[in-house]
């Protein structure tokens, strides 16, 4: 009786797991959103009356909506299913 029943039988070729392309774009979107919010907070100093603070959520929201529309168009043209 072996304790390592869940281990692959061939250690030279472990099972490769990769994410679908859509997941990479979502991760990139999350990182860019966090970077934008951090940038706005840095240049405004957290002051909500600063003119750039008005764009802290509007710009990422616009890019997320635009990305979803572009993704839907690309998916429809390629005939691929949603990941």
């Amino acid at each position: 009786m072996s304790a390592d029943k869940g281990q692959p039988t061939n250690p030279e070729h472990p099972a490769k797991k990769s994410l679908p392309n859509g997941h990479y774009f979502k991760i990139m979107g999350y990182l860019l959103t966090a970077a934008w919010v951090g940038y706005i907070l840095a240049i405004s100093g957290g002051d909500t009356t600063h003119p750039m603070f008005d764009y802290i959520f509007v710009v990422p929201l616009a890019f997320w909506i635009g990305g979803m529309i572009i993704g839907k168009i690309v998916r429809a043209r390629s005939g691929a299913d949603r990941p």
Side-chain angles (χ1 to χ4, degrees):
M1 295 192 38
S2 176
D4 58 334
K5 291 181 181 179
Q7 298 296 327
T9 57
N10 190 354
E12 294 175 12
H13 300 288
K16 288 187 175 182
K17 292 184 180 180
S18 65
L19 296 173
N21 286 338
H23 283 51
Y24 289 113
F25 284 106
K26 283 183 184 177
I27 291 169
M28 188 171 54
Y30 294 145
L31 292 175
L32 289 173
T33 299
W36 175 259
V37 171
Y39 171 72
I40 295 297
L41 287 174
I43 65 171
S44 69
D47 180 18
T48 58
T49 60
H50 192 280
M52 283 299 287
F53 204 84
D54 294 339
Y55 302 105
I56 193 166
F57 297 116
V58 174
V59 172
L61 181 63
F63 277 102
W64 276 101
I65 292 172
M68 288 172 39
I69 291 170
I70 291 170
K72 189 170 212 149
I73 292 169
V74 168
R75 206 169 29 251
R77 286 190 180 174
S78 68
D81 290 334
R82 183 175 181 175

